[in-house]
Amino acid sequence: MEIVLFSKEEGIAQITINRPDKMNALNKAVLAELDHCFQRALNDSEVYGVMITGAGDRAFVAGADISEFSHYSAEEARSLSAFGQALFRRIEESPKPVVAAVHGFALGGGCELAMACHLRIATRAARFGQPEVSLGLVPGYGGTQRLVQLVGKAKALEMLCTGDPIDAGEAHRLGLANHVVEEQSELLPRAHAILQRMFLRGSQAVAGCMSLVNDFFRPDVDGYALETDCFGRLFETDEFREGVGAFLEKRKPNFRHKS
Ligand code: COA
């Protein structure tokens, strides 16, 4: 059985973590295959957006595979954390938008994977949490950093230090979930629809927005200066000429024939 599935429809790649009997827990093989599928989506010029989801009806991803790391040394644990962090950073820094479609449990590494994506769409049955303290651990794939960015310090500390999950309604109120749908059948269509909205826009401008928002959280750079650079650079693109030309000619822009 393939542990991560890749499919493509109308320019959107769907990556499905496929270990439903283990709640789609992230073992090393899943991480490697997820990495491979993600690179495939990035390298495919027909793909403009990516959805990441979990197979089955119980979990997006219920975390790193606990049975796999139960006997790790400190060194092995550090190396696992570094590998997962690097992969999730590549997702966060992707120039193509990535949406997490979350149904059921998004715990530990599952919550961290969802947070590395640009947007999260959840079903009413979704549960987000960082339960690592119950295992005597802290999150290892960026959870302590991205949760603060998304929900703020007070709520992040509560979630991290109690280990208790939150439901979809609360995730939505906190800004962790962008949208909540009632049924699982609505989840992928909603994620698809949001990516299609982005497809209608200038792709270099969309990539610029995602990169600049990430820059806000980098202490080593001046986000305002980078915004100025990006703003100027885009004036030299065909997409800019098309977007402004279309506005002045009172027609809809067609960015997809422009590079
Ligand atoms: N790692 C490895 N296996 C996992 C797993 C994980 N993170 N999460 C679930 N599984 C496995 C279970 O061991 C079980 O396997 P088995 O049928 O071979 O025994 C299977 O998935 C189903 O899980 P189960 O615990 O029986 O389902 P449940 O409905 O009673 O509980 C959860 C669901 C998600 C609440 C529970 O599985 C859980 O707490 N998982 C761990 C979450 C976690 O701590 N994640 C952070 C890891 S760092």
Side-chain angles (χ1 to χ4, degrees), residues 2-7 12-20 23-26 30 34 37-38 50-62 91 98-106 110 113-114 117 119-123 126 181 183-189 191-192 195:
E2 286 180 79
I3 47 175
V4 181
L5 309 174
F6 181 94
S7 61
I12 296 175
Q14 181 179 328
I15 296 175
T16 307
I17 297 164
N18 188 32
R19 285 183 88 202
M23 301 271 177
N24 301 319
L26 301 173
V30 171
L34 175 61
C37 289
F38 186 66
V50 183
M51 301 190 295
I52 299 181
T53 195
D57 59 4
R58 302 222 41 222
F60 173 68
V61 168
I91 293 173
V98 186
V99 175
V102 178
H103 176 72
F105 295 108
L113 173 59
C117 297
L119 274 74
R120 285 146 296 283
I121 315 299
T123 64
V181 298
E183 303 295 333
Q184 193 177 3
S185 59
E186 301 167 54
L187 186 60
L188 296 179
H192 217 276
L195 285 168

Side-chain angles (χ1 to χ4, degrees), residues 144-163:
T144 58
Q145 306 302 295
R146 292 195 181 94
L147 194 59
V148 185
Q149 294 173 10
L150 287 165
V151 306
K153 183 175 176 182
K155 198 65 201 181
L157 278 170
E158 183 181 335
M159 287 177 68
L160 290 163
C161 296
T162 64

Side-chain angles (χ1 to χ4, degrees), residues 178-248:
N178 292 78
H179 297 278
V180 177
V181 298
E182 295 304 319
E183 303 295 333
Q184 193 177 3
S185 59
E186 301 167 54
L187 186 60
L188 296 179
R190 178 66 74 91
H192 217 276
I194 288 179
L195 285 168
Q196 273 171 339
R197 297 291 299 158
M198 298 184 188
F199 175 69
L200 298 175
R201 315 307 183 199
S203 63
Q204 292 167 78
V206 169
C209 288
M210 295 191 301
S211 170
L212 289 164
V213 168
N214 284 335
D215 289 335
F216 175 83
F217 298 101
R218 290 175 53 196
D220 55 321
V221 299
D222 177 353
Y224 289 97
L226 291 173
E227 183 185 85
T228 296
D229 282 349
C230 183
F231 186 74
R233 206 168 48 246
L234 290 173
F235 273 68
E236 292 175 344
T237 62
D238 288 342
E239 286 187 353
F240 163 75
R241 280 182 277 281
E242 170 64 10
V244 170
F247 177 82
L248 296 175

